[in-house]
Structures are given as structure tokens and as C-alpha cells.
Amino acid sequence: MTEPVLETRALSKSFGALTASDSVSLGLRPGEIHAIIGPNGAGKSTLIAQICGALRPDSGQVFLDGEDVTALPPQIRARRGLARSFQISQLAMEDTVLQNAVLGALGADGSPWRFFRPALRDRALRGSAEAALDRVGLLDHAATVAAELSHGERRLLEVAVALTLKPKVFVMDEPMAGLGTEGSAQLTRLLDALRLEAPILLVEHDMDAVFALADRISVLVYGRIIATGTVDEIRANPAVREAYLGEET
Ligand code: ADP
Ligand code: MG
């Protein structure tokens, strides 16, 4: 079997008496979308936070490209190719779409404007930013101020910003949240194509999107993975139906 690009080994994390991650081991293979589903409070976001480095596990490890990154801070993991998307606050709302993408290409979260000005004139940076915007279908909106984008377009811009960093892995926590039918469909199409550039670990509540996109699904309940399998395997799994999918199937 191919080596996973991203792997967790027995990650555990407790908040007081509550076990939010209970020895979670999972892998993300090249080219795949691996969805994590589970009820509210199951520990999905806690798991993502440990993978991205925002939260230290009590025990267990995170591997990126075979390297143990458990002790590394989020920015270093990001620079090594771990792209976390969908925290709207990462966008500079008063800047244009192109400026946001160039900032991404610069890898300069929070970098002062004086570094940024010359960056806009830098051909390579600008070229990579424009390519990323083109990839997500936002090149026509390059001059639009981010604040004027629709909700769905902002999600696409976040993907473009992530793409400029040439990620090895995408990690997404509920990217469909708050999107209407059209926005979800558009983002679903993009993610479907994006997996060829970098595999996606996808936490998502929208089961239509999950069933349409996932190569594999892991089901998290009370911090534990109770099943991992294909869409068909997960839909047919009695324990999963009881714990989570009951009303949906
Ligand atoms: P999910 O994303 O699956 O809805 P979370 O990972 O956000 O679940 O939360 C898992 C559990 O851990 C929940 O019971 C939540 O209340 C608890 N929790 C999450 N973060 C903290 C924290 N910083 N301090 C205390 N409890 C937390
Ligand atoms: Mg969550």
C-alpha cells in the first residue's frame, strides 16, 4: 500500500475528564479525499487542531510525508506543505482578491504592508497567485475587494490562497458550512478536482458532499474512530448507522 502523506498515530487528548481524542490513528493517501464525520462534539475539530499544530496532543504523533511533526508549530507545518483552509479570518477583507492571493504566495501571514507592496510587482509571485485564482475560477474577480465576494467565493479564494503555497495536503474543517446549494455544488466540484493536486482530509457535516467526494470515510464518536471504509461500507455499517447515520440513510 502507498505510504500516507499525512498520518496520525494514536493521538489522544483530554480536557479534564473529557477524552476528546481517544487514540486516533488515521492516514491520508496520495490522491484521496478522506472524510471525517461524526456527531457534534465527537472531537473532529480537536483532531484537526492537533494535526495542524494549534493544539498539543497528550500523547501520539502526527507525521507529514513520513516525518514526525508533532512538536512543530502550525506555521512550520504550513511551510512544510500542510494547508489548513476555511478560517475566514485568514483573508484580508479590505484587500483585493489578487492581493490576498499574492499574500498567500508570499507565505506572509501578517507580514507588514511594506513587504507586500513590492510583492505585487514581483512577476513570479503574481504569476503563481493568478494561476491559483484561475484554478478556482476567480481570476475574473482579481480586482474585487474580498469583502464584496459572496460567501461561496470567499471559500474559493481561501482554496486559492492555500494553493499558492503548493501544499502537500489539504486539511479542511467544514468547508460547506453556511453555503447555499449552488455554493456547495461549486465547492464540491473544486474539491473533487483538487484531490489530484494534494489529498484532502475533510471534516464535513454535509453528507451529500461527503458521499459525493470521499474515497474513504472515518467515523468519529466520543473521540474514537469506530469505523473507516468506503462510502458503501460506511453506509452499510450497523454501528455507524446506530451512532450517526440513523436518520440519514
Ligand atoms: P466537533 O468538532 O466534533 O464538534 P470538538 O472537537 O469541537 O467536536 O469538541 C470535542 C469535545 O471537546 C466537546 O465535548 C467539546 O466541548 C470539548 N472541547 C473542545 N475544545 C475544548 C477546550 N479547549 N476545552 C475544553 N473542552 C473542549
Ligand atoms: Mg467542529
Side-chain angles (χ1 to χ4, degrees):
M1 190 147 304
T2 9
E3 287 295 301
V5 189
L6 177 72
E7 190 185 0
T8 70
R9 289 191 201 157
L11 277 188
S12 292
K13 178 76 191 175
S14 296
F15 298 112
L18 178 91
T19 306
S21 298
D22 190 355
S23 197
V24 176
S25 297
L26 57 82
L28 182 66
R29 299 174 190 145
E32 81 167 343
I33 295 182
H34 188 156
I36 313 282
I37 63 172
N40 278 330
K44 303 180 295 295
S45 294
T46 300
L47 175 62
I48 296 293
Q50 292 168 89
I51 288 173
C52 295
L55 196 63
R56 264 304 175 94
D58 297 335
S59 59
Q61 287 97 37
V62 179
F63 290 83
L64 181 60
D65 244 358
E67 233 186 298
D68 188 339
V69 297
T70 318
L72 299 181
Q75 318 83 272
I76 306 287
R77 295 186 203 198
R79 250 177 262 152
R80 298 222 180 150
L82 196 144
R84 180 181 191 171
S85 292
F86 307 116
Q87 293 173 302
I88 291 297
S89 59
Q90 282 174 345
L91 295 180
M93 299 307 281
E94 70 283 7
D95 289 341
T96 67
V97 166
L98 180 64
Q99 285 167 334
N100 270 280
V102 168
L103 257 188
L106 195 58
D109 331 348
S111 192
W113 179 245
R114 67 197 155 86
F115 291 132
F116 176 52
R117 276 292 280 278
L120 252 191
R121 277 184 253 120
D122 183 308
R123 278 237 194 113
L125 281 179
R126 194 172 164 135
S128 120
E130 286 174 344
L133 292 177
D134 196 25
R135 185 73 184 72
V136 305
L138 278 183
L139 194 51
D140 290 347
H141 289 74
T144 306
V145 173
E148 284 166 17
L149 296 177
S150 72
H151 223 57
E153 287 165 340
R154 275 181 217 164
R155 299 279 160 88
L156 298 178
L157 178 54
E158 294 224 329
V159 172
V161 169
L163 270 173
T164 59
L165 295 169
K166 311 259 183 299
K168 290 188 186 125
V169 167
F170 288 106
V171 177
M172 303 182 178
D173 195 355
E174 301 200 26
M176 307 292 170
L179 296 187
T181 321
E182 191 170 325
S184 299
Q186 200 176 17
L187 190 57
T188 299
R189 280 196 300 277
L190 177 60
L191 299 191
D192 194 22
L194 217 53
R195 84 179 92 196
L196 299 174
E197 265 140 276
I200 305 173
L201 189 67
L202 176 69
V203 168
E204 187 49 63
H205 268 299
D206 177 340
M207 294 312 294
D208 290 336
V210 167
F211 288 148
L213 286 170
D215 298 290
R216 288 193 296 159
I217 299 174
S218 288
V219 185
L220 201 62
V221 179
Y222 294 123
R224 276 188 50 234
I225 293 184
I226 62 164
T228 296
T230 63
V231 169
D232 289 344
E233 285 164 356
I234 291 302
R235 290 181 99 135
N237 184 308
V240 173
R241 294 172 71 108
E242 180 161 346
Y244 185 55
L245 290 178
E247 321 92 72
E248 317 216 15
T249 45

